[in-house]
Amino acid sequence: MSRNGLLIDYYYCTGCHSCEVACKNEHDLPVGKWGIKITELGPWKIAPDQWEYSYVPIPTSLCDLCKDRVAKGKKPSCVHHCLAQVIEYGPVEELAKKMNDKRKPVIYAPTPS
């Protein structure tokens, strides 16, 4: 049986927080709890009047890959609502093959419970 996970290309994340909001709404998570959380790195001054920020979506221990949505043939909520389309869902083996074509992706595959 194949294990599924998320492939997150942090390089292109715009920090819009759509994944966070979608997850909180999907799972009715209380204030201060997230299934996925955007971490903001920076700002770093790279030139006069020019700053750089990086945004990193990080799945938490509350992430269950939207097992109820997936059971209905839908994508996890964070994947469906990602405006920059930097989060993919699928079998870990297929996602690992895609990593060679990406700049800085990370696979998140929670341990089966």
Side-chain angles (χ1 to χ4, degrees):
M1 182 168 111
S2 180
R3 192 166 143 214
N4 290 326
L6 299 175
L7 177 66
I8 304 173
D9 191 345
Y10 296 144
Y11 187 78
Y12 293 105
C13 178
T14 63
C16 71
H17 298 271
S18 291
C19 58
E20 281 183 354
V21 173
C23 181
K24 285 181 85 61
N25 288 338
E26 182 72 29
H27 296 292
D28 197 27
L29 297 173
V31 173
K33 300 288 184 181
W34 295 269
I36 190 166
K37 176 80 174 117
I38 300 292
T39 299
E40 183 177 304
L41 305 173
W44 296 288
K45 190 171 188 172
I46 57 175
D49 299 324
Q50 190 175 9
W51 299 84
E52 180 178 325
Y53 292 84
S54 292
Y55 303 98
V56 182
I58 301 172
T60 73
S61 61
L62 296 178
C63 177
D64 66 356
L65 296 175
C66 289
K67 64 181 178 184
D68 294 339
R69 283 181 59 88
V70 170
K72 296 175 186 173
K74 298 179 181 180
K75 295 178 182 178
S77 192
C78 62
V79 176
H80 179 74
H81 291 282
C82 179
L83 298 177
Q85 298 180 344
V86 300
I87 307 174
E88 296 181 54
Y89 172 79
V92 172
E93 299 80 18
E94 290 179 26
L95 296 176
K97 290 176 188 173
K98 290 182 178 185
M99 286 182 68
N100 292 332
D101 299 330
K102 303 281 184 180
R103 289 180 81 165
K104 298 178 183 178
V106 172
I107 293 179
Y108 170 73
T111 305
S113 48

